[in-house]
Amino acid sequence: MRILVLNSGSSSIKYKLFQMVGREVLASGLVERIGEETSTLTHQAVNAQGEITETHREGRVADHREGMRQIVEALSASSTGEDGGGLAGIGHRVVHGGEDFTEPTRIDEKVLQVIRQNIPLAPLHNPANLIGIEVALEVAPDLPQVAVFDTAFHQSIPPRAYHYAIPHELYARHRVRRYGFHGTSHEYVAGQAAAFLNRPLASLNLITLHLGNGASVAAVRQGRCVDTSMGMTPLEGLIMGTRCGDIDPALHFYLLREAGLTPDELDAVLNKESGFKGICGTNDMREVLEKADAGDDRARLAIDMYCYRVKKYIGAYTAALGSVDAIVFTAGIGERAAPIRDACCQGLSGLGIALDTEKNHGGSPPPFEIQTANSEVKILVIATDEELQIAEQTFELIRRMSQ
Ligand code: ADP
């Protein structure tokens, strides 16, 4: 049985086709720059000999509907036959489920309506996700389609952690609260950590660190999220490629008054011009590390600030959880930047956290562990796979529905 995973953004559609029997990727690809003259479709597929072939198509893709049509065409052209069954369903990544969705949900008219109602909470993402769903429903009206929400895993966070200390009415009327994002990734790596440690997830307290372009931390008690660093929007928490993370909220008023910025300009500064980019001029951690190695003071400062912020969250979430079994590093930086993992764990022996530098720089592919023999807390490096998690959850829901 196959599951197609779709991640529809404002000007792109990413997709991955899984064969669920062996969790094998049969095809994947990306339509980019939808609506522009320079649109491209890149499609990779495994052929009958088991080799990966890539096709690349250039030329205007007018809209998401045309993008989906090209994806369907590319998938049927590269189909390797009915190896173990046809398409069982489609899983869609949806960024914001608000308070309405706590788990993957079969899409129907009511679900579409609630996703629409959540547009004010994610004005850039939810409309793009919706277009992808609507087009997929047109193309394949009889297939079960499932929405998997970035926010769902964090819906178990208790009120003391999701409320902001502002007038309650702003929550009641405007839904202002912490939602958290990257939930699919945090949930996936928590499960993978339990499998790696060969322990039931329900017996573990974990701190999961998703360190990619965007970055967030989650405190996971016995498989359920109890706190996370991103908030009402993905701007809160850790320092990121171009986002500032935690700052004094009064800074906004100061900058509006003193720097003469408009609210939209300030929004762009904090979301797109801050983080590593704002501190040292580049948003890519590989370049930040290179610059720091070459003696660039601002790049060193960016790394220092980044790791210090991560350490403060590890401390805070250790307190939130009471005790921690494992810290999990994942996503681009977490999986591949050994010097960052090193710096994030330095000086934490008081919390029972001790990193083995040699193991950390060992260069093995994830999953692997990097704590010293006497560290009370395990430190794991686990590769995230949000598409596989969406495929698994879609598959599981379809299986349960058909029972
Ligand atoms: P996204 O959030 O876009 O999915 P990723 O999880 O791919 O992002 O993470 C991107 C980040 O990972 C970038 O800052 C990139 O520089 C960093 N990264 C990727 N590979 C390495 C590496 N080998 N060493 C250090 N940083 C890396």
Side-chain angles (χ1 to χ4, degrees):
M1 268 211 201
R2 297 167 178 193
I3 296 287
L4 177 65
V5 174
L6 288 179
N7 181 355
S8 171
S10 55
S11 65
S12 70
I13 310 174
K14 284 190 207 149
Y15 60 96
K16 227 176 208 185
L17 178 67
F18 289 90
Q19 170 56 267
M20 296 312 291
V21 178
R23 275 42 182 174
E24 198 189 324
V25 178
L26 297 175
S28 65
L30 167 69
V31 185
E32 282 178 286
R33 294 187 291 281
I34 295 174
E36 294 177 33
E37 291 308 319
T38 55
S39 318
T40 54
L41 164 78
T42 311
H43 177 77
Q44 290 190 326
V46 181
N47 67 15
Q49 287 74 44
E51 300 151 351
I52 294 175
T53 57
E54 183 168 309
T55 48
H56 191 76
R57 182 193 285 190
E58 288 185 15
R60 182 175 159 79
V61 176
D63 52 21
H64 284 69
R65 194 160 280 105
E66 169 64 12
M68 272 300 291
R69 201 190 53 73
Q70 291 201 7
I71 292 171
V72 171
E73 222 174 73
L75 285 170
S76 22
S78 61
S79 167
T80 52
E82 293 299 292
D83 49 347
L87 194 57
I90 301 179
H92 295 268
R93 176 185 182 223
V94 182
V95 167
H96 220 306
E99 289 186 328
D100 305 285
F101 298 107
T102 57
E103 54 186 25
T105 307
R106 168 103 189 241
I107 297 170
D108 57 19
E109 198 37 57
K110 206 165 135 234
V111 169
L112 283 174
Q113 205 177 332
V114 180
I115 299 173
R116 266 182 224 120
Q117 281 161 8
N118 285 328
I119 287 178
L121 295 172
L124 294 180
H125 292 99
N126 272 27
N129 301 153
L130 269 168
I131 294 176
I133 296 173
E134 284 164 358
V135 175
L137 285 170
E138 273 173 36
V139 173
D142 300 325
L143 270 186
Q145 308 213 16
V146 173
V148 178
F149 299 91
D150 261 21
T151 48
F153 182 57
H154 303 305
Q155 277 297 304
S156 48
I157 291 176
R160 63 169 175 259
Y162 73 66
H163 276 300
Y164 294 116
I166 56 174
H168 191 81
E169 197 183 283
L170 294 177
Y171 164 68
R173 274 222 194 145
H174 298 287
R175 299 187 281 167
V176 175
R177 53 159 286 178
R178 176 182 311 287
Y179 292 97
F181 300 87
H182 293 144
T184 306
S185 174
H186 287 291
E187 187 174 15
Y188 177 76
V189 297
Q192 293 295 304
F196 180 83
L197 296 170
N198 204 13
R199 301 241 326 250
L201 184 56
S203 72
L204 293 172
N205 284 352
L206 304 170
I207 296 175
T208 50
L209 291 158
H210 177 107
L211 309 180
N213 271 322
S216 65
V217 200
V220 184
R221 174 179 289 131
Q222 299 169 349
R224 287 168 65 78
C225 185
V226 294
D227 206 349
T228 192
S229 59
M230 282 180 166
M232 164 94 181
T233 76
L235 188 57
E236 193 179 348
L238 298 177
I239 294 171
M240 309 177 212
T242 61
R243 295 191 195 121
C244 58
D246 296 333
I247 49 170
D248 178 349
L251 215 139
H252 298 72
F253 321 124
Y254 179 82
L255 288 175
L256 293 180
R257 270 198 316 263
E258 294 297 316
L261 297 178
T262 65
D264 281 350
E265 285 167 348
L266 182 54
D267 187 328
V269 166
L270 301 180
N271 273 295
K272 299 194 179 129
E273 302 297 331
S274 296
F276 311 145
K277 188 175 176 195
I279 305 165
C280 72
T282 169
N283 64 318
D284 189 295
M285 180 54 98
R286 278 165 296 203
E287 285 174 36
V288 180
L289 285 165
E290 276 166 26
K291 280 168 115 178
D293 278 347
D296 184 306
D297 284 343
R298 296 255 215 100
R300 284 187 179 157
L301 175 64
I303 291 170
D304 239 21
M305 288 169 66
Y306 182 81
C307 299
Y308 179 63
R309 182 82 53 92
V310 172
K311 276 165 77 162
K312 288 211 293 190
Y313 270 96
I314 292 175
Y317 287 179
T318 301
L321 290 167
S323 70
V324 179
D325 296 290
I327 293 172
V328 182
F329 282 93
T330 194
I333 297 171
E335 289 165 34
R336 290 188 277 276
I340 299 295
R341 293 195 298 258
D342 219 336
C344 289
C345 295
Q346 284 309 313
L348 296 182
S349 58
L351 300 180
I353 299 164
L355 178 139
D356 183 316
T357 309
E358 211 170 294
K359 281 191 200 160
N360 182 38
H361 284 86
S364 31
F368 58 99
E369 51 190 354
I370 54 174
Q371 75 283 352
T372 62
N374 55 9
S375 177
E376 287 162 36
V377 177
K378 306 259 188 208
I379 310 172
L380 311 180
V381 181
I382 306 246
T384 192
D385 193 336
E386 286 162 285
E387 289 92 358
L388 177 60
Q389 177 75 355
I390 293 172
E392 297 273 15
Q393 293 191 324
T394 301
F395 187 56
E396 175 57 23
L397 184 60
I398 292 171
R399 201 186 53 78
R400 266 192 279 134
M401 282 179 335
S402 62
Q403 275 172 354

